[in-house]
Amino acid sequence: MLEKGLQFISHETVRTENYAKTMGSGDLEVFATPSMVALMENAAMYAVANELPAGSTTVGALINVTHTKPSAPGETITACATLQEVDGRKLTFSVTASDSQGVIGEGTHVRYIVDREKFLAKLKR
């Protein structure tokens, strides 16, 4: 059962593949904002994954975050997602990302519970 407070923490090391320069979101060799967002979404997905009905998953629909500090190559980034609200299929999470220096980003993320087969069938229309 999906209850407020479900939480998951995801980790990522800052490396060439997730630099802003590599991803095209900037021209510096620092942790890219799109990488931070993906890590936050990953944490939210896993926070509820074990509580979903068989054949279901969640998909991201909205994310509103700030990325306030850069993170250097080799840093470990930790993203934490906590389920704040359940409204039918709509799930709202608080998300934060941190490195060894403290919080680098935070905000909210909305995901929806979907049936995997029905969702993928929409691609064939």
Side-chain angles (χ1 to χ4, degrees):
M1 180 172 197
L2 294 175
E3 294 184 12
K4 288 168 62 171
L6 289 174
Q7 189 175 77
F8 193 85
I9 297 172
S10 295
H11 305 276
E12 180 79 50
T13 300
V14 180
R15 59 190 194 288
T16 304
E17 295 82 17
N18 55 35
Y19 288 169
K21 184 176 182 176
T22 304
M23 297 194 77
S25 64
D27 61 4
L28 299 173
E29 293 179 353
V30 296
F31 194 59
T33 301
S35 296
M36 182 189 75
V37 167
L39 193 62
M40 290 170 160
E41 285 198 84
N42 180 268
M45 175 190 69
Y46 280 114
V48 297
N50 291 332
E51 304 299 323
L52 297 174
S56 294
T57 191
T58 59
V59 293
L62 174 71
I63 191 151
N64 183 9
V65 296
T66 58
H67 189 180
T68 55
K69 291 174 57 180
S71 298
E75 277 279 3
T76 297
I77 309 300
T78 302
C80 179
T82 305
L83 183 59
Q84 296 294 318
E85 183 180 347
V86 179
D87 182 10
R89 296 184 316 113
K90 181 182 177 185
L91 308 176
T92 303
F93 298 85
S94 63
V95 290
T96 60
S98 303
D99 65 14
S100 66
Q101 305 300 308
V103 174
I104 65 163
E106 59 190 343
T108 58
H109 177 43
V110 173
R111 298 185 74 78
Y112 282 88
I113 301 169
V114 298
D115 178 275
R116 289 173 184 272
E117 288 185 23
K118 288 180 184 176
F119 187 82
L120 292 174
K122 293 177 183 179
L123 297 174
K124 298 176 184 172
R125 291 183 185 168

